[in-house]
Amino acid sequence: ALSAMGTRFELVVGDELAAGGGAARDADRLALAEAALETVARLDARLSRFRRDGVPAALARAGVAGVRVTRDEIVLFELCRRAHARSGGAFDPAITSALARLGLRDEPAGADATFASIAIERRARRVTAPAGLAPLAFGAVAKGYALDLAAREFVRGGVRVALLHGGTSSVVALGAPPGRTAWCVALRDPAETPTEAGADPVRPLARVALKDAALSVSAPHGRTRVITGRRVGHVVDPRDGTPVERVRLVAVVARHAATA
């Protein structure tokens, strides 16, 4: 396990590898798990908007001068650009300004711009932003991408069975546990409070079977604040800055966690 991106990442690794065995297999699994966690820690340091040496803060300072990023980071920027375009702007890591204006961010709002204003040069691995843009908030997509890259470490090392999650809201499943056809993940009802140890478990809203797939879950109740007498959640439509209401929970299954 590892604390990163404001939450806790946990990895469960099966004992089946494509090759090797015995004591060496245990050592291999441990080394792969450590490499996977190092990948998560590296992305946390690079993508956090709270770190002055991270990409979001550096991009906000550099503006049109731009910053150079790694291959993995340019892939994430391009994924975000496609998601922003295909969703008609409903997905937008440049949402910091809208959240600040709502009082959901304790920082200046910055320039009013969308992710479409971010210029991405794939060959040069350089990204540029409008002057005055607040640091990008990659949020859950960074969590999912970190899990995808961690899972890649396992696959390259021959791991067939593993479950990886970040904060229980982003999950990647490789293979299936022994005697099962898939990993079974329960979705907790946000309206229910967790039970005490030993008490009857809360009945989940649903159970999702995952095999070589990813799950992402979000609910407005996660972070709330009272604004002008009304309690609003942290899930906001970046197109008009309106907090999402009358939504209990959203869960998405996809091939990759960043996409979900």
Side-chain angles (χ1 to χ4, degrees):
L2 172 75
S3 293
M5 299 186 179
T7 190
R8 179 178 172 86
F9 284 76
E10 295 180 334
L11 316 180
V12 177
V13 189
D15 60 6
E16 293 186 34
L17 291 179
R25 186 171 64 187
D26 290 338
D28 289 344
R29 290 205 315 274
L30 180 59
L32 286 169
E34 290 175 344
L37 290 176
E38 286 173 5
T39 296
V40 173
R42 172 174 53 82
L43 275 183
D44 179 31
R46 290 286 293 170
L47 298 179
S48 171
R49 65 186 182 85
F50 300 108
R51 293 179 61 115
R52 183 169 176 78
D53 57 347
V55 171
L59 183 60
R61 290 195 304 271
V64 294
V67 296
R68 186 171 168 81
V69 295
T70 67
R71 284 189 178 89
D72 285 337
E73 290 159 4
I74 204 74
V75 170
L76 177 62
F77 270 88
E78 291 184 326
L79 185 152
C80 290
R81 179 167 61 183
R82 290 194 300 271
H84 177 74
R86 291 173 181 175
S87 68
F91 168 82
D92 195 343
I95 195 174
T96 305
S97 295
L99 296 176
R101 284 193 295 272
L102 280 170
L104 294 172
R105 286 283 189 272
D106 296 322
E107 57 191 276
D112 208 5
T114 71
F115 197 79
S117 65
I118 304 295
I120 303 170
E121 302 173 56
R122 182 180 180 87
R123 189 181 296 274
R125 298 211 310 268
R126 178 173 294 276
V127 291
T128 58
L133 184 71
L136 298 173
F138 286 104
V141 72
K143 244 190 331 185
Y145 194 54
L147 290 174
D148 287 334
L149 295 189
R152 186 176 71 182
E153 295 283 348
F154 282 143
V155 172
R156 286 176 173 174
V159 169
R160 296 173 174 173
V161 177
L163 187 77
L164 307 80
H165 83 81
T168 71
S169 60
S170 292
V171 183
V172 170
L174 297 179
R180 304 271 184 168
T181 58
W183 292 90
C184 182
V185 179
L187 303 183
R188 183 174 68 84
D189 187 341
E192 299 282 354
T193 56
T195 58
E196 296 180 0
D200 291 336
V202 175
R203 184 177 178 179
L205 281 177
R207 290 182 173 86
V208 181
L210 293 178
K211 182 178 181 181
D212 297 322
L215 167 74
S216 184
V217 182
S218 185
H221 79 289
R223 293 192 302 274
T224 63
R225 185 170 295 187
V226 176
I227 300 173
T228 63
R230 184 169 60 113
R231 182 167 292 279
V232 299
H234 69 105
V235 181
V236 173
D237 187 339
R239 294 168 294 189
D240 58 11
T242 303
V244 173
E245 296 180 303
R246 298 183 297 280
V247 173
R248 198 166 181 178
L249 176 144
V250 174
V252 174
V253 174
R255 180 66 183 87
H256 299 103
T259 305

